[in-house]
Amino acid sequence: MASAAEGPVADPSVVEADAVAAAFGTDAMLGLTAQEAGLRLARDGPNELRAAPVPSAWRRILVQLQDPLVYLLLVAAAVAVAAWWVEGRSGWPADAIVITIVVALNALLGWVQEAKARGAVAALARMTQATTAVMRDGQLQRIPSAELVLGDLMLLAEGDAVGADARLLEASALRVLEASLTGESEPVLKDAALLAAPAALGDRLNMVFKGTTVAQGNARAVVTATGMQSEVGAIATMLDATVDRPTPLQVEVGRTGRALGLAAVAIAVIVVATILVTDHVRALPDVVRVLLLGVSLAVAAVPEGLPAIMSVVLALGVQRMARRRAIVKKLASVETLGSASVIATDKTGTLTRAEMTIVRIVTASGTSEVTGVGYAPVGHVAQAGVPLTPGAPHAEVQAVLTGGSLAGNARLSQAAGGEWEIQGDPTEAAFLVAERKLGATALREARFSRIGEIPFTSDRKMMSTIETDHHRDDAPVVITKGAPGVLLERCNRVRVGTADVALDAAGRQRILAEVDSLAGDALRTLAVAFRPLTPDESADAPTGLERDLIYLGTVGIIDPPREEVAGAILEARNAGIRVIMITGDHPRTALRIATDLGIVTAGAVAPALTGVEIDALDDTAFAAAIRTTAVFARVAPRHKLRIVSALQAAGEVVAMTGDGVNDAPALKSADIGVAMGITGTEVTKEAARMILADDNFATIVEAVREGRGVLDNIRKFLRYLLSSNLGEVLTVFLGVVGAGVIGLKAGNAGGELVLPLLATQILWINLITDAGPALAMGVDPAAGDAMAHPPRHRGERMIDKAMWAGIAATGIVMAVVTLLTLDMFLPGGLIEGTGDLTLARTAGFTVLVLAQLFNCFSARSETGSAWHGLFANRWLWGMVGLSAALQVAVIHIGFLNRAFGTTPLSPGQWLTCVVMASGVLWASELRKWAVRAWGRG
């Protein structure tokens, strides 16, 4: 597709408007011909953004299977099928079937949860489906924006969506809302004048851009870039090229899967080799049995329910977050939130309300404060904390707010649901809101009627309306609003109370000092003035009316912070999470908001780093700067990406918030992108991994708390599953290797190879002790305040050395108590018994099941006692009870005895099994006590 960059003009902002039109072959008054527009449309293609291809359903399902642990399970299933085939295909390959079902259910769950998490670039295309007014063949036409071509002459008016990037030919009081593209919270005043040098996107005042909206005024402009060559198209290209980073959980699960795979293969090989060597196995049936044992051990070593349990626990976390108004689109992002160490947040609409508000009014009688924020007219006007009452200050403030409300075109209305809404320029609407707080709206509406208007221009930097004053015999009056310095030059008097006093040099200096004070507090300043017209002056001849004005006062305006954000930022900092601001707004405004919210400390020397300054830094210098800088202002999308990448390179886990189109690439690149659900564009919602349904920054902190709880619970069930599976593996391995020591061979008259557990019993153990209890741990209440400790570092292992040591200790104890129970019931060995092999195996089988159920309570904490909060999780008790009941059934129901090779146990034998199994709990408590004591020492 052709573009300005590739075609006649490289940078239209530094080329005269007429020259740009000529370069594109456009008549500056008549536009293109319909024939030429058709040729260009055929050549360059429609003015649309490239949609991301939608992967087919089967490809989306395959994505869910791309996990090392799933690969390992599929290999185990294949080996189980092969062993079943070699053994003679008797019955069904139960192991393989169970594993396959688990993998399929896990893939289905992930697919359903993430079905809507695609198409970010397609959303970019949808957001600009509109129509545009153009001149073609000298006639005004409204065409679909998709049909705009290079060189088209666009006519823009208030409320229009800008259909393509364009160079202004002329503009009248044109203000454009560019927050979604640049992050600038206020409408940008545009001017067709030539720029002296190339400028940043937000400072190209003679250009308008696709996807923005005209807030005020009108203009003519020639199209210079369409589709993917526009600025919003460049963002779409960046978004398309941005690669999703795996979450810390995905990295850890992948690492664990690989480790388990190697361990499973190693264990199987060692056991098989040991048996073949020590038992001198030669007969083919015995060789097959040994190989099947190796397969059983490999399957036992792998917690086949782990992927499904992980998905279910994360899905439960997603549901809990949804109840807190945080919608998580990718399951693994739940855990990522718990690991977040940096929240990089946009300012406009995220930390602030995106509702311009007058907070201060300076008149001759002093400074008045306006309470309340946003467009709801709730609040009052006060001096020194006392609401204004009739008198000089009240009259002065009323004149300022009435004049500001008259000298504008915004509208304030209350919707059917009670919400207050504005139409037009948010800055102009701020006067209407403050006027209602003062209670002066009805008086203004009854007193004045507009008869003329002098639109805002960049040269004059002011706007005026001519009104008839019904309280003064319909006498005309001019009311002006504009930049204080410019307006002051046109004033010769100042309003004091209800009188007009001559404005001397001292008075001018006082007003300018007051304006500087407001600007020093990062407030946008506007002044209001007026004068009655003389009988020979007319609204029909407005030239020269803006002179000899009476200065009424100055207002300070700000986009106020959200009330709940400061507390949320403080909580995040206490939790070891760093909060930084990234905005396209002015550095002074950004620092003011950052200071108010506690992102930077009041009085600290913490200058904001701007996009221009970022460009001047090499990677080393930028890496150093990013460690100490908390505010980044006047940044472009590429800067946001660089900031996120630098933070990640420093080992940080980054949560990036935003609502505008310009935020989308950084949201996608961040470890977890967080979009605003109300003010956010569809682009950011699609690119993000989490959406805040209430646009509340505090919700992020609650989501982090929930994520940390999920992370803790994942560690709990990993500790439980891995230690329990290790206990099974060691039981079989040590039982085979030490069969003579514990009496297994002595209990078998034939002296042939015997196993401590049957393959069906191993499968049963995994069935009743893996999924249910582990799932119950996924909803375990958090132990203490999850926000009381710093986040997990990116390089920190989820299963660290201490956790592996605990897993190994528990697994060893579990195997020892199981094998000792076998020995107790068998003749010979270390402990003389009187039972047969079936009874001994049943007792050992039962002890291993019960030991794993005792382990449920021990595994809830790395160092805390199992007695702490013992009854806090009723789901865990329910699952333990169910598993115990199923074990009783498999011991005492006849057909299950035959299926699983068991025999009924007497009450005394059951008591023995319970006591032996509880050894896992007591050993764990002793180990934890030692760890706590060592830590205190």
Side-chain angles (χ1 to χ4, degrees), residues 689-703:
R689 297 189 181 189
M690 186 177 88
I691 300 171
L692 299 183
D694 57 1
D695 282 17
N696 190 336
F697 182 88
T699 302
I700 300 174
V701 178
E702 288 302 315

Side-chain angles (χ1 to χ4, degrees), residues 518-594:
L518 293 173
D521 289 336
L523 299 177
R524 183 186 178 192
T525 57
L526 281 176
V528 182
F530 86 106
R531 76 174 175 89
L533 298 184
T534 60
D536 59 335
E537 293 178 312
S538 169
D540 296 329
T543 303
L545 297 184
E546 297 168 325
R547 58 178 175 80
D548 300 329
L549 300 173
I550 303 168
Y551 197 89
L552 294 175
T554 313
V555 300
I557 305 174
I558 195 171
D559 178 11
R562 294 177 177 271
E563 295 176 357
E564 66 280 356
V565 168
I569 289 176
L570 178 61
E571 186 174 5
R573 293 180 65 176
N574 290 338
I577 302 171
R578 180 184 173 201
V579 180
I580 65 175
M581 178 194 295
I582 306 177
T583 179
D585 218 336
H586 192 280
R588 186 164 57 189
T589 304
L591 276 173
R592 159 68 189 273
I593 297 296

Side-chain angles (χ1 to χ4, degrees), residues 426-598:
T427 302
E428 293 184 351
F431 280 95
L432 300 175
V433 175
E435 184 193 42
R436 280 189 177 271
K437 293 176 181 177
L438 189 67
T441 300
L443 180 61
R444 168 182 58 83
E445 292 175 343
R447 179 174 177 178
F448 296 99
S449 296
R450 183 177 298 189
I451 58 175
E453 177 181 334
I454 308 174
F456 184 95
T457 65
S458 57
D459 292 334
R460 292 168 35 254
K461 289 186 171 54
M462 65 182 69
M463 171 186 179
S464 299
T465 61
I466 299 96
E467 312 279 342
T468 56
D469 187 348
H470 302 312
H471 288 190
R472 297 182 182 275
D473 300 322
D474 290 342
V477 59
V478 60
I479 302 175
T480 305
K481 174 179 92 277
V486 174
L487 198 58
L488 192 59
E489 294 177 357
R490 296 175 181 252
C491 296
N492 57 16
R493 288 163 290 170
V494 62
R495 172 60 60 93
V496 180
T498 57
D500 301 327
V501 178
L503 187 60
D504 56 16
R508 293 179 186 276
Q509 289 300 319
R510 176 182 60 81
I511 292 174
L512 290 175
E514 292 167 345
V515 172
D516 288 342
S517 176
L518 293 173
D521 289 336
L523 299 177
R524 183 186 178 192
T525 57
L526 281 176
V528 182
F530 86 106
R531 76 174 175 89
L533 298 184
T534 60
D536 59 335
E537 293 178 312
S538 169
D540 296 329
T543 303
L545 297 184
E546 297 168 325
R547 58 178 175 80
D548 300 329
L549 300 173
I550 303 168
Y551 197 89
L552 294 175
T554 313
V555 300
I557 305 174
I558 195 171
D559 178 11
R562 294 177 177 271
E563 295 176 357
E564 66 280 356
V565 168
I569 289 176
L570 178 61
E571 186 174 5
R573 293 180 65 176
N574 290 338
I577 302 171
R578 180 184 173 201
V579 180
I580 65 175
M581 178 194 295
I582 306 177
T583 179
D585 218 336
H586 192 280
R588 186 164 57 189
T589 304
L591 276 173
R592 159 68 189 273
I593 297 296
T595 302
D596 288 349
L597 294 176

Side-chain angles (χ1 to χ4, degrees), residues 268 684 791:
T684 55

Side-chain angles (χ1 to χ4, degrees), residues 361-368 383 396 514:
I361 305 169
V362 182
T363 63
S365 297
T367 300
S368 299
Q383 276 194 357
E396 293 167 5
E514 292 167 345

